[in-house]
Amino acid sequence: LKRGMTPEKIVEEILASPEFLSRFQAQAPALLSGSPAAVPMVIDLTMTADESRALWSRVAADWSKLGATKPYWSVLLEPQWEKTRVEDLDAFYDTGREDVERLDNWLARSGVSLRQSGTCAEFGCGVGRCTIWLAKRFARVVAVDISEPHLHLAIARAKAAGLNNV
């Protein structure tokens, strides 16, 4: 990223690297072709109630701090978004349009169409970068985030865009 490489190019290079291919040879063709046939990963979520509370408390504290100090950079790790006040917010939020269009393409490739009259649930909405674009596709968007500072910025952006379905 520091050398100007896009996140997509970085992912492409990682997926084509000898190390990745040696570890995930069977899955590599599906992943490299963008196929939805990638093998699911097993994730162990076993923990005690105390461990769960501690985990979520830590996550909430860390993301709330980022939301208060570097809200845009915490979403997109590029130098131009690192300031608390970003000069070109339209450019920042346009990146959300690109991601929602990519989602549309993935769904279309899989033969899935979404009802625009439905409700979209967005978990980890951050500052609403994708939320505003989802709100233009769905009758209602329920945007959720663990960071209150992020949510305040997401709400402000939705209001500024004249959206009342978020």
Side-chain angles (χ1 to χ4, degrees):
L1 289 172
K2 288 181 180 177
R3 289 183 279 139
M5 192 179 294
T6 66
E8 291 81 9
K9 181 66 176 165
I10 293 170
V11 169
E12 182 182 305
E13 289 196 9
I14 290 170
L15 292 177
S17 72
E19 179 184 358
F20 180 86
L21 292 172
S22 72
R23 292 178 179 211
F24 303 101
Q25 189 70 43
Q27 296 154 295
L31 292 170
L32 289 170
S33 68
S35 165
V39 177
M41 294 173 49
V42 177
I43 300 171
D44 180 8
L45 297 175
T46 307
M47 65 179 85
T48 67
D50 286 342
E51 290 169 333
S52 179
R53 278 190 294 279
L55 170 68
W56 286 110
S57 177
R58 171 68 185 268
V59 169
D62 288 349
W63 279 103
S64 292
K65 181 178 178 183
L66 283 169
T69 59
K70 297 181 181 185
Y72 303 102
W73 180 82
S74 70
V75 175
L76 291 179
L77 301 176
E78 296 172 10
Q80 69 265 36
W81 315 125
E82 195 164 0
K83 299 175 185 167
T84 302
R85 275 188 72 86
V86 171
E87 293 172 21
D88 190 358
L89 279 178
D90 290 338
F92 175 83
Y93 282 95
D94 278 348
T95 65
R97 177 185 47 78
E98 296 164 5
D99 284 352
V100 171
E101 286 174 357
R102 187 176 305 116
L103 172 64
D104 288 340
N105 291 336
W106 288 338
L107 292 171
R109 182 185 67 210
S110 300
V112 175
S113 62
L114 300 175
R115 291 181 305 123
Q116 292 189 343
S117 62
T119 298
C120 174
E122 181 189 15
F123 296 95
C125 70
V127 297
R129 186 178 67 91
C130 294
T131 310
I132 60 170
W133 301 104
L134 292 168
K136 295 177 183 192
R137 286 176 167 72
F138 293 93
R140 182 171 179 240
V141 175
V142 177
V144 179
D145 201 279
I146 198 165
S147 165
E148 194 170 330
H150 281 93
L151 285 172
H152 288 303
L153 291 168
I155 292 165
R157 187 63 182 197
K159 286 182 181 176
L163 301 168
N164 58 8
N165 60 335
V166 178

